[in-house]
Amino acid sequence: MAGDKWRGAPALGPRATLRYWWKQLTSMRTALVLLFALALAAVPGSIVPQRSVSPVAVKDYLKTYPRLGPIFEKIWMFDVYTSPWFSAIYLLLFTSLIGCILPRVAVYVRGLRAEPVLTPKRLTKLPDHAVAPMPLDSDGTSEAPAEALERAAQHLRRKRFRVAVRGNSISAERGYLRELGNLAFHISLVFLLIGAAIGSLYGYRGNVIVVEGQGFSNSLPQYDDITAGANFSDRDLAPFQMRVDDFKAQFEAGPVQTGAARLFETRVTVVDKPGDPPRQGLIEVNKPMAVSGTSVHVLAHGYAPLVTVRDAEGAVAFSGPVPFLPQDGQFTSAGAIKAPDGRPERLAFQGFFLPTAVVNEKGPRSVFPDAVNPELFLNAWYGPPRIESGEPENVYSLDTRGLTQMTTPNGDVFRMQLALGDRVALPNGKGSISFDGYKRWVKLQVSRTPALPVTAGAIGLAVVGLCLSLFIRPRRLWVRVTDEGIEAAGLDRASGRTGLDDDVVDLLTAAYGDELPDPVVDTGADAGDDGRVADGHAPAKDEENSRE
Amino acid sequence: MNDLSLWSNLAITTAAVLYVAALMLHAAEWSSARGLHQVVAPVRRRRRTLVTAGVAGDSTSTEGVAAEGPAGDDEARPESDQRDPERRIDFFGRLGVSVTVIAVVANVLGMVLRGVAANRAPWGNMYEFMISATAFVGAAYVVLAICFRMRWLGLPVTLLLALGNGAAVTLLYVDVAPLVPALRSVWFVVHIVSAALSGTAFTVGGVASVFYLIRQRLERQEEVKGYLTKLPHSSMLDVISYRMVAFAFPLWTFAVAAGAVWAEYAWGRFWGWDPKETWALVTWMIYACYLHARSTAGWKGNPAAWISILGMVSFWFNFIGVNLLFTGLHSYSGL
Ligand code: HEM
């Protein structure tokens, strides 16, 4: 190892220093502190908006707090869960975890074959113990110790203890599954992390808005946005195609929670790979569709008004559905209609689509999410044709550079209100626009999470392991028979377990072979400790754990 | 709005009023115990009392620790010869529990009727979550008080129930309505039931930890006063708190996992660091800390008890605070 690095360390040699720090890292105390630190470190991410959850909220935050924002940016406050400090804590924790379980696995495996530990010299020092005189035979003399021992052994075997008879004493132990459960739980945590890591390294999640009647093919350029792991490549995209045939939405029309979503159904046609026969599918909330190893969810929906724009020459400059983005729960939707092919001037429109339009003192707004009275409210713009720059452009808002807003003859902004089927001529013969209808669009999310079975299996194992670890009562019992009498004692190896004193008395009774003759029982439990010895008369758990 | 939901509202309001009544009765129980005091033997490393088999140890010892089931009220031994306060305490205590039993019946009835009225599991908004949470906690408390002689939980638990149902009736109420589609999932029901059960146990465990801290301090001064004499020895309170967490922790792990499965179905990602998910994990990690602390030298006892209380606070913050303070995918409070 790189010994030189450690030359500055006091007194200890490099290897000893390393071992010292490794021991510190893998101690229970460090695990505890790191767990606590991780819990604490996760909190800010729930208070400050996170880029991975809502990039828009982060932008707003930066605008609202111009002083604090940049400082937060520097300390990864907007990306807490991928930040170096958060990662450092959980990587240290998992290093500690692995360093902690490996030796324990070794100890466990060795312990599996080992006999129960030797009987302590002085059973009376154990937290729970009981004493009885030797039973008398029918002729009034003391019974032979061997018989009492045999009865005790039978009793213990019946109670599923592992039994070792040694001379005049028996050691018995049970509850080996507790440590197994505990190890399984901790190991499954490692697999949980591995599963989650693979999922985020190789997985992807892409969103695309598709209007009813249109389709998309699973390739990078088709996505509106995509988040993918570091090891993802576009070859991982399964070559399927999907067409959205129909989207049905229902909203609460009753007086309670009016407008709340009640039903969403999306009917699609899928071609799994080029040349395959098309198949139909239905996507509902909580019921995604599985396509070629990905799941397809419908995350959002909205309206796409159907418009036809004619330019000054009377030619159709644009015709078709234009997705508008919902701005509130009533689906007041904002969007832009662009007709770059208009001649001699290109035309553009910006405004709102209201599925159930009402105009009041606050202006036009929608009062219900379903399309009861759809109307379009638009402003119009014109400008010289533009050479395609290839620069990506936001389809939902208008970049008004190089455009002039149309006005009425007396200089006011030219505003249009179109009901279904209306057609409005633009001022100065610049053309016209008609509101022909509307379609709905859905936002499809295509996601692939590799290693999901690993993650899910790890969680299942963790729960089972936990139950074993927390509910099994590992216990050691001893009995010794001498000419003076019978001694029984017990020790619990996990906290919060009860019934040890009963077990000890039962064992003593079994060895005695009869109702106990008013025996002398010492239940000298250590105060303040729940049945486990902490004062070193018997190997306590903590010592064992830190032995490596 | 139909008849059934009106009956449900009536039941919930009744329960809220009765919880307040029970709270006052338990307050009377506590104040009746003002004169009591109990001398606690100093904690010795080794105790050598010789007793006969089958007979539990004397009341001031730690025998309760090893006894099956928690120690009961009759374990406290007031010094005063006057039996009067004893009788008064018992009277108010029994009355408090009786009123709580009726309140819990009304509460459970209210929850069930609400579900029948809505024709679905009654877990669709904050109001319904709250009345269900109080129904779970109330039912668990009644079982603990009657079968396990844990009546001493009465004051804090009825306080919690009165606050919870009171807030439900006054602040959180919304009329019956169908579920938003995202909540219609078997996994959601599994998630809610396991979360409610584990939350109940976390709460009882947290209350036991609070009492542990108080009693433990007094025991060190070797004198316990007032109603606290009616509580089990601090080491028993510690075990009760541990048992509750030991029961709840695997269940909570499962609840969080079920939530993740549901999120995978609903949103196509099983984990997204939504505030609700984050706080569920934070709560989980705090209780993992608690279980570790109990087997780490220097962290047993008081520090562990504080962690258990912190866990309870985190659980309730996630249940109430996160819905109201943060916006996330889980904001379906219906308000
Ligand atoms: C990812 C972080 C970890 C979590 C979530 C976690 C969780 C838990 C839980 C819930 C228990 C309780 C089960 C029981 O009492 O039987 C436990 C026990 C235990 N953990 Fe961890 N643990 C973690 C890391 C570690 C590390 C790093 C170590 C090594 C120092 C460790 C060592 C132990 C030991 C020795 C026990 C048994 C305690 C006893 O005897 O009661 N754990 N852990």
Side-chain angles (χ1 to χ4, degrees):
Chain A
M1 295 236 93
D4 283 2
K5 268 196 199 150
W6 295 100
R7 198 169 282 163
L12 298 170
R15 292 194 55 184
T17 313
L18 258 184
R19 200 174 309 130
Y20 171 79
W21 284 109
W22 180 246
K23 235 184 118 170
Q24 293 301 308
L25 181 65
T26 58
S27 76
M28 275 296 265
R29 187 160 301 136
T30 310
L32 184 58
V33 169
L34 285 173
L35 254 173
F36 208 78
L38 193 63
L40 211 61
V43 171
S46 74
I47 299 165
V48 179
Q50 295 300 292
R51 205 160 265 135
S52 61
V53 178
S54 171
V56 181
V58 175
K59 267 197 206 120
D60 287 349
Y61 196 90
L62 283 168
K63 238 183 268 161
T64 326
Y65 303 100
R67 304 268 300 278
L68 199 59
I71 301 174
F72 274 13
E73 187 77 86
K74 275 218 182 67
I75 55 172
W76 296 277
M77 264 323 204
F78 303 114
D79 306 280
V80 165
Y81 306 109
T82 48
S83 69
W85 47 272
F86 190 80
S87 313
I89 298 173
Y90 76 74
L91 288 177
L92 271 177
L93 178 60
F94 277 86
T95 313
S96 169
L97 179 62
I98 292 168
C100 181
I101 11 186
L102 288 181
R104 280 175 63 202
V105 171
V107 169
Y108 183 77
V109 170
R110 254 180 279 134
L112 268 184
R113 274 163 293 146
E115 299 248 285
V117 292
L118 293 177
T119 313
K121 279 227 171 57
R122 294 181 55 194
L123 286 179
T124 45
K125 284 210 163 181
L126 285 166
D128 258 302
H129 82 263
V131 193
M134 275 308 287
L136 301 180
D137 263 346
S138 43
D139 56 7
T141 57
S142 281
E143 207 180 286
E147 285 171 42
L149 269 188
E150 183 48 34
R151 279 196 299 269
Q154 268 175 12
H155 166 81
L156 288 166
R157 287 203 187 94
R158 215 169 33 243
K159 290 195 125 187
R160 305 184 148 269
F161 276 79
R162 184 180 297 183
V163 174
V165 184
R166 296 197 181 91
N168 65 351
S169 75
I170 295 177
S171 342
E173 181 158 3
R174 72 145 197 235
Y176 290 81
L177 279 181
R178 174 188 187 260
E179 180 70 357
L180 183 69
N182 192 292
L183 289 172
F185 167 72
H186 284 88
I187 291 170
S188 67
L189 291 181
V190 178
F191 281 94
L192 181 64
L193 186 72
I194 292 175
I198 293 176
S200 68
L201 279 177
Y202 292 90
Y204 70 89
R205 217 161 60 225
N207 292 321
V208 54
I209 282 182
V210 184
V211 178
E212 279 175 300
Q214 298 185 347
F216 93 104
S217 58
N218 190 25
S219 61
L220 272 189
Q222 297 253 319
Y223 283 110
D224 299 333
D225 62 82
I226 185 164
T227 45
N231 287 26
F232 164 85
S233 88
D234 50 3
R235 269 168 302 153
D236 295 337
L237 293 172
F240 69 82
Q241 295 189 315
M242 179 175 273
R243 211 182 88 95
V244 174
D245 300 321
D246 175 47
F247 174 75
K248 202 159 86 201
Q250 269 173 22
F251 301 93
E252 179 64 50
V256 178
Q257 291 189 355
T258 311
R262 290 294 169 245
L263 175 86
F264 300 129
E265 274 179 6
T266 313
R267 279 172 207 289
V268 295
T269 306
V270 177
V271 176
D272 286 282
K273 56 179 186 295
D276 277 10
R279 62 187 175 101
Q280 313 265 301
L282 175 68
I283 306 175
E284 291 173 87
V285 180
N286 289 335
K287 282 184 202 133
M289 185 176 177
V291 184
S292 314
T294 67
S295 19
V296 182
H297 287 76
V298 172
L299 287 192
H301 63 99
Y303 291 94
L306 280 168
V307 293
T308 304
V309 178
R310 288 172 198 275
D311 60 20
E313 293 167 1
V316 173
F318 174 84
S319 178
V322 184
F324 275 42
L325 295 183
Q327 307 294 305
D328 59 26
Q330 309 298 351
F331 282 75
T332 300
S333 308
I337 300 163
K338 300 170 189 178
D341 299 334
R343 293 295 178 270
E345 281 157 327
R346 66 184 163 114
L347 299 171
F349 306 86
Q350 190 172 26
F352 291 97
F353 171 88
L354 310 179
T356 304
V358 166
V359 181
N360 59 15
E361 67 279 7
K362 279 187 251 161
R365 61 193 189 103
S366 176
V367 292
F368 192 69
D370 215 347
V372 178
N373 174 34
E375 287 190 355
L376 260 180
F377 290 77
L378 295 174
N379 297 334
W381 305 69
Y382 66 96
R386 198 174 49 169
I387 311 113
E388 274 304 318
S389 63
E391 202 184 313
E393 207 189 332
N394 188 338
V395 285
Y396 306 106
S397 67
L398 193 60
D399 178 3
T400 53
R401 280 176 300 174
L403 291 173
T404 313
Q405 188 160 24
M406 294 186 193
T407 50
T408 57
N410 53 21
D412 290 343
V413 170
F414 175 67
R415 296 175 210 276
M416 289 172 278
Q417 175 178 2
L418 292 90
L420 212 57
D422 281 357
R423 183 174 156 200
V424 172
L426 301 175
N428 307 324
K430 293 215 183 287
S432 69
I433 180 166
S434 62
F435 178 24
D436 308 330
Y438 68 89
K439 284 185 175 290
R440 292 175 191 267
W441 55 258
V442 290
K443 184 174 177 184
L444 296 177
Q445 172 183 276
V446 180
S447 61
R448 198 169 70 100
T449 318
L452 201 55
V454 175
T455 317
I459 292 178
L461 185 64
V463 174
V464 174
L466 260 181
C467 290
L468 292 179
S469 173
L470 290 166
F471 302 144
I472 284 186
R473 295 181 293 178
R475 182 160 288 174
R476 285 175 178 167
L477 291 177
W478 294 276
V479 59
R480 176 178 283 128
V481 186
T482 58
D483 292 335
E484 282 95 69
I486 311 174
E487 284 180 306
L491 177 67
D492 262 349
R493 311 193 61 220
S495 58
R497 312 305 202 259
T498 51
L500 179 60
D501 49 350
D502 290 340
D503 268 13
V504 170
V505 173
D506 283 354
L507 175 58
L508 188 67
T509 314
Y512 188 75
D514 199 357
E515 194 77 0
L516 287 174
D518 201 16
V520 184
V521 180
D522 181 349
T523 44
D526 275 324
D529 197 281
D530 43 337
R532 294 164 71 183
V533 246
D535 49 5
H537 296 300
K541 201 85 218 293
D542 306 330
E543 290 165 36
E544 238 163 63
N545 292 332
S546 55
R547 213 153 50 196
E548 287 303 309
Chain B
M1 186 75 119
N2 50 27
D3 275 359
L4 281 179
S5 78
L6 287 179
W7 283 109
S8 160
N9 295 353
L10 182 64
I12 296 299
T13 314
T14 310
V17 172
L18 288 178
Y19 283 139
V20 175
L23 173 64
M24 296 200 292
L25 287 167
H26 283 299
E29 182 192 13
W30 278 65
S31 70
S32 310
R34 243 178 346 217
L36 297 188
H37 67 278
Q38 173 188 25
V39 178
V40 183
V43 176
R44 269 173 283 146
R45 288 309 292 169
R46 301 228 53 79
R47 223 172 45 79
R48 284 281 168 106
T49 332
L50 299 183
V51 293
T52 45
V55 177
D58 60 317
S59 63
T60 51
S61 79
T62 58
E63 291 310 326
V65 177
E68 196 64 67
D73 348 353
D74 56 352
E75 294 237 355
R77 194 192 277 161
E79 294 265 301
S80 75
D81 300 319
Q82 214 185 356
R83 298 302 301 169
D84 221 12
E86 275 299 316
R87 221 173 290 140
R88 260 215 324 275
I89 297 164
D90 200 48
F91 172 73
F92 284 125
R94 276 168 197 281
L95 211 56
V97 172
S98 313
V99 172
T100 311
V101 170
I102 305 172
V104 169
V105 170
N107 196 347
V108 171
L109 205 66
M111 174 181 85
V112 172
L113 286 179
R114 177 90 182 180
V116 177
N119 197 17
R120 57 173 169 76
W123 301 310
N125 48 55
M126 209 44 208
Y127 171 75
E128 294 175 3
F129 288 136
M130 187 53 97
I131 62 169
S132 308
T134 50
F136 272 91
V137 173
Y141 161 68
V142 165
V143 171
L144 290 174
I146 294 174
C147 306
F148 294 92
R149 298 200 284 166
M150 282 165 74
R151 202 172 79 199
W152 45 269
L153 284 170
L155 187 74
V157 168
T158 48
L159 174 67
L160 214 73
L161 294 175
L163 284 178
N165 259 25
V169 172
T170 54
L171 302 174
L172 303 174
Y173 184 77
V174 285
D175 279 334
V176 169
L179 282 185
V180 293
L183 297 188
R184 276 180 232 145
S185 159
V186 183
W187 285 102
F188 174 68
V189 175
V190 170
H191 172 63
I192 293 294
V193 172
S194 47
L197 278 175
S198 45
T200 301
F202 282 146
T203 305
V204 175
V207 171
S209 290
V210 172
F211 282 142
Y212 166 86
L213 287 173
I214 299 172
R215 247 200 87 117
Q216 203 262 357
R217 262 183 68 140
L218 297 173
E219 279 165 17
R220 253 190 316 205
Q221 294 157 8
E222 294 180 16
E223 186 170 14
V224 181
K225 281 201 189 111
Y227 190 79
L228 293 167
T229 56
K230 296 262 158 201
L231 265 54
H233 191 271
S234 63
S235 52
M236 188 62 212
L237 290 168
D238 183 47
V239 170
I240 291 172
S241 150
Y242 169 76
R243 293 256 180 88
M244 290 296 158
V245 175
F247 165 77
F249 188 76
L251 205 58
W252 180 240
T253 312
F254 175 75
V256 176
V261 173
W262 168 45
E264 175 70 24
Y265 282 116
W267 304 312
R269 89 286 183 296
F270 61 90
W271 195 264
W273 296 108
D274 184 85
K276 197 97 179 168
E277 295 168 349
T278 304
W279 278 91
L281 186 68
V282 168
T283 306
W284 188 82
M285 288 194 285
I286 292 173
Y287 279 110
C289 279
Y290 169 80
L291 291 172
H292 271 208
R294 284 187 53 94
S295 29
T296 306
W299 285 80
K300 300 171 195 189
N302 283 7
W306 279 111
I307 298 176
S308 144
I309 294 167
L310 191 65
M312 173 175 67
V313 170
S314 161
F315 180 91
W316 282 90
F317 177 72
N318 194 20
F319 182 56
I320 303 172
V322 168
N323 287 39
L324 302 179
L325 295 182
F326 305 140
T327 51
L329 288 168
H330 286 80
S331 46
Y332 32 62
S333 65
L335 294 177

